[in-house]
Amino acid sequence: MPRQVFFYDQPERFVAGTVGQPGARAFYLQASARGRITSVLLEKTQVAALAERIDEVLDEALRRSGGDVSIPAAAPQDLLDTAPLDLPLEQEFRVGTMALAWDGVDGCLVVEAQALIEVEEDDEDEDSAAAVFEDDDNGPDMLRVRLSGAMARVFAKRALDLVSAGRKPCPFCNLPLDPEGHLCPRANGYRR
């Protein structure tokens, strides 16, 4: 089956969001423009890593340009998006690989999220691994989004807020606390 590339150039909305209660949340990236919505499922750690890396890439682009590019130092308050994910929520794929790049010519951030692909154990050679990163018609499905510096900052802030809004960490071991407590390794298996 040929690859599907869901492409959004300066979408109306690009957010990270969740469904479910803390401890059992599903994390999504969602892009929308002109009535079209694309949602992809990913892990909480992927959302956190993406948001942190976006801020780093934007800071580096700003530093290298000497302030000549239009990237705010923080997310503009008037652009903040706290609305829930758009419905219907239909998952296109589960994210495996992500990539970021700053397009210096157009002055925008490019975010790519590729579908997780299952590789057979006997197929694990260099050719099959390299095929994942080729941009051909037979590669994994992909979400590609181009964002302005301001919109990228807004995405990163919302994503980091979303990740930190989860379960509070145990003061002893830093593992997440469930409402009914947890078996803390620092307490030799006793419930805290």
Side-chain angles (χ1 to χ4, degrees):
M1 187 157 126
R3 152 189 250 180
Q4 281 189 296
V5 177
F6 303 94
F7 180 67
Y8 290 84
D9 191 1
Q10 305 302 327
E12 296 163 8
R13 188 169 192 228
F14 181 61
V15 296
T18 62
V19 174
Q21 295 299 315
R25 296 186 295 175
F27 288 79
Y28 291 89
L29 291 182
Q30 190 175 74
S32 59
R34 295 180 294 284
R36 184 173 66 122
I37 301 170
T38 304
S39 304
V40 297
L41 181 69
L42 70 169
E43 298 295 326
K44 177 181 180 177
T45 55
Q46 289 175 300
V47 173
L50 179 61
E52 291 166 2
R53 189 68 182 127
I54 284 174
D55 276 337
E56 291 171 7
V57 168
L58 293 176
D59 290 344
E60 182 66 15
L62 192 58
R63 186 188 66 76
R64 286 187 181 200
S65 73
D68 291 338
V69 294
S70 178
I71 301 173
Q77 292 296 317
D78 60 324
L79 295 180
L80 291 179
D81 182 351
T82 58
L85 294 171
D86 292 327
L87 297 176
L89 185 62
E90 296 175 3
Q91 169 189 328
E92 298 296 337
F93 58 83
R94 177 179 285 276
V95 174
T97 306
M98 295 185 296
L100 287 175
W102 177 256
D103 181 344
V105 174
D106 292 335
C108 65
L109 184 75
V110 180
V111 179
E112 290 184 352
Q114 287 189 359
L116 179 67
I117 59 169
E118 301 293 327
V119 178
E120 299 289 326
E121 286 185 32
D122 55 340
D123 289 343
E124 288 186 20
D125 60 7
E126 289 182 24
D127 294 335
S128 64
V132 171
F133 298 104
E134 292 178 6
D135 201 14
D136 65 8
D137 291 338
N138 296 322
D141 290 349
M142 177 192 303
L143 171 64
R144 181 178 290 150
V145 181
R146 295 170 54 85
L147 302 168
S148 67
M151 194 164 187
R153 288 280 191 207
V154 167
F155 171 87
K157 179 177 181 355
R158 176 183 168 132
L160 290 172
D161 290 348
L162 184 74
V163 168
S164 67
R167 296 174 289 169
K168 300 298 178 210
C170 171
F172 303 104
C173 69
N174 272 345
L175 292 175
L177 285 172
D178 292 322
E180 62 277 351
H182 78 123
L183 295 176
C184 181
R186 302 275 317 265
N188 292 328
Y190 290 101
R191 189 166 290 281
R192 290 203 187 247

